[in-house]
Amino acid sequence: QVQLVESGGGFVQAGASLRLSCATSGLIGTNYNMAWFRQAPGKEREFVASVNSNGDMSYAESMKGRFTLSRDNAANTVSLQMDNLKPEDTADYYCAASRWFRNVRTNPDYWGRGTQVTVSS
């Protein structure tokens, strides 16, 4: 049974940093693409960042330079370091995974339940 469990969300002021983590279990081997998405209140879910099974990373344009993705295959975790947070980063953040041959940005196989991030001005 595959499980993705996010942690690290919280309430912070603008300019602060947070580090989100996604702990995975049940994913056999490392042939999985991983990604973070977010959904702000009243808005559609949007892509944040992804890392493929081969290590290639991709970021949404608005997050480049502020968000940094990392993957620890030994620990089965994927982390998202978020710096210089802005009120518009307020959202529920979700971890997602797909088998290597699927595009995790458009066709994730698995989702976590999310962690809430609130950034005050």
Side-chain angles (χ1 to χ4, degrees):
Q1 182 179 1
V2 175
Q3 285 191 315
L4 307 178
V5 180
E6 303 93 337
S7 62
F11 184 99
V12 296
Q13 294 199 335
S17 298
L18 279 176
R19 186 176 181 87
L20 306 183
S21 290
C22 174
T24 71
S25 61
L27 296 178
I28 300 174
T30 58
N31 290 330
Y32 285 87
N33 306 321
M34 303 293 301
W36 285 93
F37 293 79
R38 71 184 186 183
Q39 187 167 18
K43 295 187 177 181
E44 294 188 354
R45 188 174 294 182
E46 65 173 339
F47 169 77
V48 174
S50 65
V51 53
N52 288 340
S53 57
N54 62 5
D56 289 344
M57 294 188 184
S58 179
Y59 294 88
E61 197 62 35
S62 63
M63 289 85 169
K64 286 182 180 178
R66 297 192 300 123
F67 291 9
T68 305
L69 191 63
S70 60
R71 179 173 187 163
D72 186 340
N73 290 327
N76 296 321
T77 60
V78 176
S79 298
L80 183 69
Q81 176 68 36
M82 306 188 295
D83 298 319
N84 190 23
L85 284 162
K86 304 176 181 181
E88 51 264 41
D89 294 319
T90 294
D92 291 327
Y93 284 72
Y94 297 88
C95 179
S98 74
R99 288 161 287 174
W100 66 270
F101 52 87
R102 290 169 65 92
N103 187 333
V104 69
R105 292 181 62 163
T106 58
N107 288 295
D109 292 305
Y110 309 103
W111 289 94
R113 292 190 174 186
T115 185
Q116 189 173 46
V117 172
T118 304
V119 184
S120 67
S121 58

